[in-house]
Amino acid sequence: MKTEINYKELESCNVLVVGGGVAGVAAAVSASRAGAKTILVEKNTFLGGMATGGLVTPMMKNALDAKNILTKGIFIEICDRIVKADGGATFEDGNPGWFNPEIYKIILDEICTESGVKLLFDTQITYVKKENNILNEIIIFNKEGFSSIKAKEFIDATGDGDLMRLSGVSFESNEHQAMSLRFMMSGVDINDFAKWLEENDHSDDSPVYRLNNGDILLTSAFTYEKDWTLRPFFEDAIKNGDLTKEDANYFQIFSVPGAYDLIAFNCPRIHSVIASEHSERSNPERNTLDPLKAEDISYVLIQGRQMIKRISKFCKKYLPGFRKSYICQIAPLVGIRESRRLIGQYVLTKEDVVSGGKFEDAIADSNWPIDIHSLKLKAQTSNLKAPKVGDYYQIPLRSLLPKENEVKNLIVVGRCLSATFEAQGSARIQANCIAMGEAAGNFAAKRIKQGIELRT
Ligand SMILES: Cc1cc2nc3c(=O)[nH]c(=O)nc-3n(C[C@H](O)[C@H](O)[C@H](O)COP(=O)(O)OP(=O)(O)OC[C@H]3O[C@@H](n4cnc5c(N)ncnc54)[C@H](O)[C@@H]3O)c2cc1C
């Protein structure tokens, strides 16, 4: 039996952005500011994607040194706005990307609405209408049922490349990083913990930075591979049965600007090794977790919340300053570092990253290392290769464009850019995603303005 889906025509615009993560917001804002009527469709009820819903705070540093930040434009504008809203700060190393995810959501709403972007929350894309190699419209689904939006230019900022998949362009999805489920704890005596860190942590990078207003920015971590200050606590907890080895495999915490008793956790990381031991999985032989499978995402959420239960108890029992702390938020979104990657006009490579590759059509500069969170339990962030000190690599515009003979009016931004698995491990940081979005929005608006003939 063939079922026809009935849908109504909703409206049309110049630029349609699907996905309101940081890349999508930057794309929509720059397109709209360049004069294009822009609509942004987002499946969640807030903007920011991984940054806010995945609780990925802070942004990692993308700078040559404390004074030479490699990403400018909307990235700096966002950081400044978050600071003005009492939810942001610059760390001692010059990184302006420390933020409170809830304030970030509000700022992203503001920057979009002030720039004239029309936001459609709680709306999924379902399929696309394409003629030859031109996209004409997308069919969306929300509480009103199915409807369509027509556009001249389309930007895929879904992180998972949903629009590029539906459009039939080439992509890869063969290797994945480990997923995480991040969370936050309130009621932490940050001052106590900071004092303890200052007395005990003698690593090169300062773990504690006291701002002029008295706020404290701090960070600490534990992995088996490195001799972290927290090691004795983890060893005791495993011995006492309070933590499993998996729980302790990767632990990283940050304080949150403007939130005097809040700690954000970049963990737990959920590994396929544990997954393969999970008897209820329909295919226990499949020794990997796939961020594009609902079954695997469900497993990560359930397993991750159990791990958070144990890790939070561990913090209360073992860590200085955490005695009265409690879980105040578990990320609504699973932390997906990588899923689909476009195979576009240029595929950014590991060699480009490490050798500081430069391009005539560069749209972003970065020196963030190749940061791969391995699926294997013992392997920590396996490969931190970076351009040499003082150098940086570039992302070319062609890494956002599908092949010439595929779709002509689609641009792909953010973590699903055209890059090898290794290169994506560097390019995926928020500063780069924002830079890609900003460039794509401008490029889409320019193509429309120039009236470039898109139809074949
Ligand atoms: C655990 C973890 C730790 C990280 N650590 C850091 C870090 O310390 N610093 C750093 O800078 N970066 C870090 N990153 C990387 C960085 O956060 C992400 O790569 C970046 O935020 C991705 O932005 P994006 O806009 O490309 O995609 P996303 O943030 O994934 O946004 C995609 C958006 O599209 C929406 N969407 C998806 N599908 C559809 C659909 N079909 N219809 C409508 N909307 C849709 C989603 O809801 C979401 O809002 C980390 C990532 C993870 C997961």
Side-chain angles (χ1 to χ4, degrees), residues 247-266:
D247 298 334
N249 185 251
Y250 184 80
F251 177 91
Q252 190 178 30
I253 54 175
F254 300 93
S255 60
V256 179
Y260 69 96
D261 66 346
L262 190 62
I263 287 286
F265 291 69
N266 182 16

Side-chain angles (χ1 to χ4, degrees), residues 18-24 41-44 46 48-51 56 58-60 123-125 157-160 162 180 182 266 333 335-337 413-415 428-431 433:
V18 184
V22 292
V41 172
E42 166 55 48
K43 76 177 164 76
N44 283 306
F46 51 82
M50 287 301 127
V56 176
M59 305 179 207
M60 284 295 107
T123 301
Q124 279 266 4
I125 49 160
T158 60
D160 294 326
D162 286 5
S180 294
R182 297 180 62 145
N266 182 16
L333 304 182
I336 299 174
R337 295 181 167 89
V413 295
R415 62 182 169 87
R428 68 191 177 88
I429 58 164
Q430 291 178 40
C433 291

